[in-house]
């Protein structure tokens, strides 16, 4: 098992931080956030999720001198050739807005009958900024893009992410229900297994 005493989470998203803390608690790892250490967010200039996650983890590990855990995620729509993809957070430009992103996605999908989409998440754990063998875990969650928004839970594109087998939008799931089946929940399970196995 990889021995870690303290880890910096390379994110300032409160929802993600709570999920990471919950995951790492059983391993007895002390978790601090990059904001607590006064570390600014890294740029995300790359065209793949994995490159962005590596950049975030390396940046935070370099600045803190500690192991770092970063994630990168987004929604990929088949009819749009994988868009919004790595641009999910800024699909409708700046200032960032989930509401404008959702409206932009509905507009882009207006003429498409193929509504298939998936969320993707990659997690990267670097023991140091020079770690040549970071621990990497991925997760996917498949669904469809609905024709109108529904539900108050979750964040981002959740009011549009239709889960046919459940008859619900992902914004209609509880936090626990979502975590059990989501791309981030799956990636976290894989990461935990890898940490235990190493
Ligand atoms: P990140 O913080 O750079 O990983 O940006 C991820 C973006 O992808 C978010 O801002 C959302 O727009 C979208 N996204 C990722 N995961 C989810 C999810 O679980 N629900 C809804 N939107 C998500």
């Amino acid at each position: 098992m990889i021995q870690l005493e303290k880890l910096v989470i390379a994110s300032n998203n409160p929802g993600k931080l709570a999920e990471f803390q919950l995951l790492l608690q059983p391993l007895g790892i002390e978790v601090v956030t990059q904001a607590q250490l006064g570390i600014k967010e890294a740029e995300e200039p790359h065209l793949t999720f994995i490159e962005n996650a590596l950049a975030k983890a390396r940046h935070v590990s370099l600045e803190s001198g500690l192991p770092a855990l970063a994630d990168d995620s987004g929604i990929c729509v088949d009819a749009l050739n994988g868009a919004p993809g790595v641009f999910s957070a800024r699909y409708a430009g700046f200032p960032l807005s989930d509401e404008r992103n959702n409206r932009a996605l509905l507009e882009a999908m207006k003429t498409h009958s193929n509504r298939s989409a998936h969320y993707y998440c990659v997690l990267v754990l670097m023991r140091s900024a020079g770690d040549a063998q970071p621990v990497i875990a991925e997760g996917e969650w498949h669904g469809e893009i609905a024709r109108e928004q529904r539900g108050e839970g979750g964040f981002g594109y959740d009011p549009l992410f239709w889960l046919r087998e459940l008859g619900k939008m992902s914004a209609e799931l509880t936090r626990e229900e979502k975590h059990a089946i989501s791309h981030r929940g799956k990636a976290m399970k894989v990461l935990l297994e890898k940490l235990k196995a190493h």
Side-chain angles (χ1 to χ4, degrees):
M1 172 141 177
I2 291 175
Q3 289 300 320
L4 293 171
E5 284 172 13
K6 196 168 175 180
L7 185 70
V8 188
I9 306 287
S11 172
N12 289 327
N13 177 323
K16 286 186 192 172
L17 292 175
E19 287 185 7
F20 286 136
Q21 264 151 352
L22 206 67
L23 171 87
L24 296 167
Q25 228 168 26
L27 300 183
I29 300 171
E30 183 188 343
V31 173
V32 288
T33 68
Q34 71 177 84
Q36 284 171 328
L37 300 180
I39 299 171
K40 286 208 196 101
E41 294 213 8
E43 299 285 322
E44 296 182 33
H46 302 293
L47 295 179
T48 61
F49 294 105
I50 180 66
E51 286 173 290
N52 284 329
L54 286 166
K56 285 192 246 184
R58 190 179 292 118
H59 165 76
V60 168
S61 190
L62 191 64
E63 293 287 318
S64 66
L66 290 166
L69 176 64
D71 87 326
D72 201 40
S73 58
I75 192 165
C76 305
V77 180
D78 290 4
L80 304 179
N81 298 319
V86 290
F87 302 105
S88 293
R90 51 199 145 127
Y91 189 45
F94 294 89
L96 301 182
S97 156
D98 286 344
E99 181 51 38
R100 289 197 306 117
N101 286 343
N102 281 325
R103 273 193 268 125
L105 182 56
L106 277 177
E107 183 62 28
M109 288 297 287
K110 227 164 51 181
T111 57
H112 292 287
S113 55
N114 176 5
R115 315 292 296 185
S116 301
H118 67 274
Y119 281 122
Y120 173 82
C121 172
V122 61
L123 298 174
V124 168
L125 194 155
M126 288 190 129
R127 281 150 279 199
S128 68
D131 191 346
Q133 201 181 344
V135 186
I136 295 172
E138 297 173 286
E140 287 189 15
W141 191 21
H142 290 258
E144 293 164 46
I145 304 301
R147 292 188 183 270
E148 52 189 38
Q149 302 189 45
R150 208 172 77 197
E152 305 294 326
F155 67 99
Y157 297 92
D158 285 338
L160 281 179
F161 195 65
W162 172 242
L163 303 159
R164 184 172 292 277
E165 66 280 16
L166 298 180
K168 283 183 180 177
M169 301 290 181
S170 54
E172 295 177 305
L173 302 179
T174 64
R175 186 188 280 244
E176 291 73 24
E177 284 169 339
K178 182 180 169 190
H179 189 66
I181 54 175
S182 75
H183 49 314
R184 195 166 298 100
K186 285 178 191 152
M188 284 186 179
K189 273 182 214 127
V190 173
L191 184 82
L192 207 56
E193 290 308 313
K194 286 195 172 184
L195 288 179
K196 284 179 185 162
H198 265 274

